[in-house]
Amino acid sequence: MTPHGSLGRRIVRDIFPPLVFLVAVIAAWHAATVAFRLPPYLVPKPAAVWSVAVERFDRLASATGLTAAAALAGFVMSLVAGTVIAFAFSQSRLLRSSCQPYAVFLQTVPIVAIAPIIITWFGYGFRSVVLVSFVISLFPIITNATTGLLAVDRELSELFQLLNATRWQTFSRLRLPNAVPWVVAGARTSSGLAVIGAIVGEFFAGYGSNRYGLGYLIRQTSEQARTDELFAAVIASTLLGIAIFSSVNLVSSTVLARWNVRET
Amino acid sequence: MTFEGAVPTLEGVGLTIGAGEFVSLVGPSGCGKSTLLRILAGLMPPTRGRVMLAGEPPAFARKAGQRVAFVFQEPRLLPWRTVVDNIRLPLEFDGVAPAEQKAAVARSLDLIGLSAKDGAKFPAMLSGGMRMRVSLARALVTQPSVLLLDEPFGALDDVLRQQLNEELLRIWAMQRWTAVFITHNVSEAVFLGQRVLVMSRGPGRIVEDIRVPFTAREPALRAEPEFARLTGVVSKRLRGEAA
């Protein structure tokens, strides 16, 4: 678990430098607002962002929580649906050749363009936000899982053939485990996209009745020129993205270690 | 399918291998050795001609209970399974009872010189030579009637290769499966095989079938004059000269 050196040395080497850099950036930010007399509606001081974050902590926390819930729901749906679709693709060449071009095509449609359509169909509220998050995070799972299910070593297939393994045995003991590292790699990309999808969804569809996520908060504070709170909301969404990405990363490294495959 | 003007990979290969015989197959790269082995295993059908294993085409013979095991040049282990679970794999498809599986895997580990401690490891934790031992153990656990080996020790250093040669012969002497062993290494071919088949390229054919008359295959054999003479003959034929 400790690749190089002791814990103390790792803190000095891996954690200390970015921390110093962060402090330097905040100091420079503060200095710039003072030196250039930047008005608070353009660039608020770091201290002002901090105090509004503390003051409105409940509001910020509940918005972050709601966005996190939507992103996680979208991500889990992608993981399940993407794997099932990939399974179908892996089983039928006809299905693959007829559907895969559209999967690639859909991937290139900008998410901002899809969100209003989804809201037109499903209305405002949590459901639509989850759907937007789902749609944008689905495709990396499909493409990765399909590749993983099909990219089986030829000699290993021959081995299974020589051992008179049934189709199902070959799937469960060879294709599926072979796809795991691929699905894990797809899940990493997908988890980041799920957060983006949830925030974009909230831009267009609030939840109504005084419940809102970070996307709505960002839009509202921007329109009202409450830049200090806008900064706080943007930082919160960044932290949310980092939190979800690193949790998925942690899970995936654990899985990959268990699978004894090198990271790609 | 035939292509106008295409050179067949193999041509005029006529060959009978007795039950329990150990045959070495040498030939230049690209002469169709691996193709021949795959045809013998029933993994691909010959475009012309036929192969019989115990009176049936190999693919049928396999379904009818003939055990054909294949050892590839790479160990080809499943990285997510431990050594023990890799060796167990073939038994899972046969519906062998778990207790019996465990006993058979333990026998196989022991036979190939791996400890129970090694058995709990994952392939990524083993050296190349150890991985090849596991691959052999996985082939032997099925108690094969035919063992096909496609240059299994090609990636190992010479000492390790000789060691594994000796162990393979020791196991063969006990179990007497029929073996077809592909190699580039002439001395390995002569040491292992009761017969050495020499192939040539384009199209691949068997140009020589050399009997190796040794009864005792001890390590000291490699220093005998007769051993040197035979490797000389095989090398000559391999280079395309008359014996």
Side-chain angles (χ1 to χ4, degrees):
Chain A
M1 278 284 112
T2 49
H4 303 291
S6 68
L7 187 68
R9 282 185 55 185
R10 281 176 59 215
I11 288 175
V12 169
R13 198 193 52 200
D14 296 338
I15 300 179
F16 198 57
L19 216 57
V20 170
F21 183 73
L22 179 68
V23 171
V25 167
I26 292 173
W29 168 11
H30 179 81
T33 56
V34 175
F36 304 115
R37 294 169 197 276
L38 295 171
Y41 62 86
L42 276 186
V43 185
K45 289 193 172 62
V49 173
W50 175 255
S51 65
V52 80
V54 172
E55 185 188 317
R56 303 257 167 101
F57 180 76
D58 289 348
R59 194 175 138 118
L60 210 54
S62 81
T64 309
L66 208 54
T67 306
L72 275 178
F75 172 59
V76 170
M77 277 171 68
S78 300
L79 207 55
V80 174
T83 311
V84 170
I85 293 170
F87 169 71
F89 276 2
S90 76
Q91 293 300 301
S92 158
R93 179 183 291 275
L94 181 69
L95 193 68
R96 205 157 61 239
S97 57
S98 47
C99 295
Q100 223 165 20
Y102 300 102
V104 175
F105 168 72
L106 275 177
Q107 212 168 353
T108 64
V109 174
I111 182 64
V112 193
I114 291 183
I117 299 177
I118 288 176
I119 288 150
T120 307
W121 288 343
F122 298 96
Y124 289 87
F126 191 70
R127 193 172 55 172
S128 286
V129 177
V130 170
L131 275 175
V132 175
S133 167
F134 165 67
V135 168
I136 192 181
S137 58
L138 176 65
F139 295 100
I141 306 274
I142 296 182
T143 31
N144 270 281
T146 308
T147 311
L149 287 170
L150 293 174
V152 167
D153 180 81
R154 176 190 160 193
E155 291 186 341
L156 277 176
S157 314
E158 289 178 339
L159 176 75
F160 274 65
Q161 201 182 325
L162 281 175
L163 295 172
N164 298 327
T166 61
R167 195 181 160 99
W168 166 248
Q169 284 167 334
T170 307
F171 179 79
S172 64
R173 286 173 170 80
L174 181 59
R175 288 192 185 282
L176 195 61
N178 186 66
V180 165
W182 292 84
V183 174
V184 163
R188 280 187 186 169
T189 318
S190 174
S191 66
L193 290 173
V195 177
I196 296 174
I199 290 174
V200 169
E202 288 167 352
F203 262 64
F204 293 95
Y207 298 114
S209 63
N210 268 335
R211 292 168 69 234
Y212 44 80
L214 286 172
Y216 181 79
L217 196 64
I218 287 169
R219 210 184 70 178
Q220 194 199 35
T221 51
S222 156
E223 281 166 1
Q224 299 171 356
R226 297 199 325 258
T227 313
D228 49 358
E229 202 176 348
L230 170 62
F231 267 56
V234 169
I235 292 170
S237 46
T238 309
L239 291 178
L240 174 63
I242 292 172
I244 289 185
F245 183 74
S246 23
S247 323
V248 172
N249 239 348
L250 192 68
V251 172
S252 62
S253 321
T254 314
V255 171
L256 290 186
R258 166 72 187 77
W259 240 246
N260 284 280
V261 284
R262 308 228 174 283
E263 300 211 21
T264 42
Chain B
M1 228 185 312
T2 39
F3 297 101
E4 206 70 33
V7 180
T9 312
L10 295 166
E11 197 175 68
V13 176
L15 174 62
T16 305
I17 299 171
E21 215 176 0
F22 201 123
V23 175
S24 300
L25 192 62
V26 290
S29 331
C31 73
K33 300 188 294 286
S34 295
T35 306
L36 179 58
L37 213 58
R38 287 198 157 77
I39 291 173
L40 291 181
L43 285 170
M44 55 165 71
T47 42
R48 241 177 300 157
R50 56 185 194 143
V51 177
M52 295 302 224
L53 169 61
E56 279 182 287
F60 290 93
R62 270 191 355 244
K63 298 268 194 282
Q66 284 290 325
R67 276 298 187 183
V68 179
F70 206 111
V71 180
F72 302 98
Q73 188 168 5
E74 300 287 325
R76 296 289 176 228
L77 305 173
L78 302 177
W80 54 84
R81 282 181 172 233
T82 60
V83 165
V84 162
D85 288 339
N86 262 291
I87 300 175
R88 189 205 314 279
L89 182 78
L91 304 175
E92 292 172 9
F93 304 137
D94 285 347
V96 177
E100 218 171 302
Q101 284 185 13
K102 212 175 157 193
V105 171
R107 275 199 303 276
S108 206
L109 268 177
D110 190 49
L111 193 64
I112 209 72
L114 292 166
S115 68
K117 212 174 124 200
D118 295 327
K121 289 181 181 163
F122 285 94
M125 302 156 85
L126 303 176
S127 67
M130 293 274 264
R131 268 181 240 165
M132 192 37 85
R133 281 175 197 267
V134 178
S135 191
L136 278 171
R138 179 181 61 189
L140 292 171
V141 80
T142 60
Q143 299 181 289
S145 43
V146 179
L147 188 56
L148 304 172
L149 305 106
D150 190 358
E151 261 187 84
F153 309 139
L156 305 180
D157 69 65
D158 221 41
V159 176
L160 204 52
R161 178 202 286 258
Q162 293 187 1
Q163 230 170 5
L164 282 168
N165 283 175
E166 286 148 27
E167 291 190 33
L168 190 65
L169 277 184
R170 175 178 57 83
I171 298 167
W172 172 73
M174 284 192 288
Q175 304 187 336
R176 284 290 170 155
W177 13 266
T178 310
V180 181
F181 189 103
I182 290 184
T183 176
H184 272 124
N185 187 308
V186 173
S187 131
E188 182 176 54
V190 173
F191 186 75
L192 289 174
Q194 297 170 296
R195 284 157 72 190
V196 177
L197 305 175
V198 182
M199 287 183 72
S200 77
R201 187 166 34 193
R205 61 177 85 228
I206 293 171
V207 290
E208 193 74 67
D209 185 343
I210 301 164
R211 297 229 151 248
V212 182
F214 306 121
T215 42
R217 285 158 199 271
E218 304 292 316
L221 184 66
R222 297 194 183 93
E224 296 283 324
E226 179 63 8
F227 186 85
R229 193 190 66 81
L230 278 168
T231 54
V233 171
V234 174
S235 297
K236 239 180 174 175
R237 283 309 269 139
L238 207 48
R239 284 197 304 267
E241 299 163 27

